[in-house]
Amino acid sequence: MSVKSDSISRLLTGIAAFSLLGSAGCAGTEALAAGPMGDAFAAAAGIPQMDAFLQYETQVPPGEALPIDGDYTISTLGKRIRIDRGRGYALDPWTHAMTLKIRPNMVVSKDFRQISATEYTSQDLPLLGTATMKVQPDGRIAVNVASIPPYSYFLIPVEGSVSPAPQPDEPPTIDEDCENLDIDAETGELVCID
């Protein structure tokens, strides 16, 4: 096969793979791009891959233990990370942006700060933005990253790992005349339905 034919073949394969990635939607695109499909696309398109420019967990000093310390699956990637004393590091490998290989034990988030009983912030290193996190009533953590573009996902506790139990900031106050209580599905707060 000539060099020109090989280039055209790679281009066509890349376009087909890109179309497949695009048809998956935003969250689906990231999930496909982070797995074997993304690696195949990058290889077909001739995109060079290299290790991410991240430190390993042994190079980032641990901080204080936090209630959210534990193992989680990133909802959009299906990859696991561990939050451990102020830093989060990969347990599974993945490719970020089809070029950067994130290896096990690479730190992907750091500088965790507890803002309230259920809210935290950290620095998301692959996405280059500040992450705001809120523990949900079911133990999942909703994460919003102020990156370009903004990115949202859930951290889902891995079975057998310590799951954070959200603690209210203040005891809930309900009207004394209220007889029927419920939990608001959007906020997770206790509400009177009388």
Side-chain angles (χ1 to χ4, degrees):
M1 184 181 282
S2 71
V3 173
K4 185 176 180 179
S5 295
D6 186 47
S7 295
I8 291 172
S9 175
R10 283 179 176 251
L11 177 62
L12 292 175
T13 303
I15 290 170
F18 186 73
S19 297
L20 177 62
L21 288 174
S23 69
C26 292
T29 300
E30 182 63 24
L32 287 173
M37 183 66 74
D39 289 340
F41 171 75
I47 298 172
Q49 294 181 337
M50 66 190 88
D51 280 352
F53 305 104
L54 299 171
Q55 295 178 305
Y56 284 89
E57 57 97 11
T58 56
Q59 298 170 306
V60 177
E64 297 294 319
L66 295 169
I68 60 171
D69 283 356
D71 297 349
Y72 297 88
T73 299
I74 301 170
S75 64
T76 55
L77 302 177
K79 305 296 182 177
R80 294 174 306 134
I81 66 166
R82 175 171 292 150
I83 297 176
D84 177 33
R85 297 171 291 164
R87 68 236 161 121
Y89 54 90
L91 296 177
D92 298 322
W94 72 85
T95 305
H96 176 70
M98 291 184 285
T99 59
L100 299 173
K101 295 277 194 184
I102 295 176
R103 308 279 185 199
N105 298 319
M106 280 186 170
V107 174
V108 294
S109 55
K110 66 179 188 175
D111 300 331
F112 281 78
R113 303 274 186 263
Q114 187 168 7
I115 304 303
S116 71
T118 59
E119 296 177 316
Y120 298 82
T121 64
S122 71
Q123 293 303 310
D124 188 302
L125 301 176
L127 293 175
L128 301 173
T130 299
T132 56
M133 299 168 277
K134 182 160 179 65
V135 178
Q136 304 299 296
D138 63 1
R140 295 178 306 147
I141 301 174
V143 182
N144 294 301
V145 183
S147 57
I148 300 174
Y151 195 74
S152 298
Y153 56 90
F154 284 95
L155 293 176
I156 303 165
V158 172
E159 189 174 330
S161 178
V162 175
S163 176
Q167 303 295 321
D169 292 334
E170 301 173 9
T173 57
I174 299 295
D175 183 4
E176 292 177 16
D177 297 329
C178 183
E179 294 180 19
N180 297 305
L181 299 175
D182 198 4
I183 296 177
D184 185 304
E186 291 181 22
T187 65
E189 295 179 13
L190 195 60
V191 294
C192 181
I193 56 174
D194 288 339

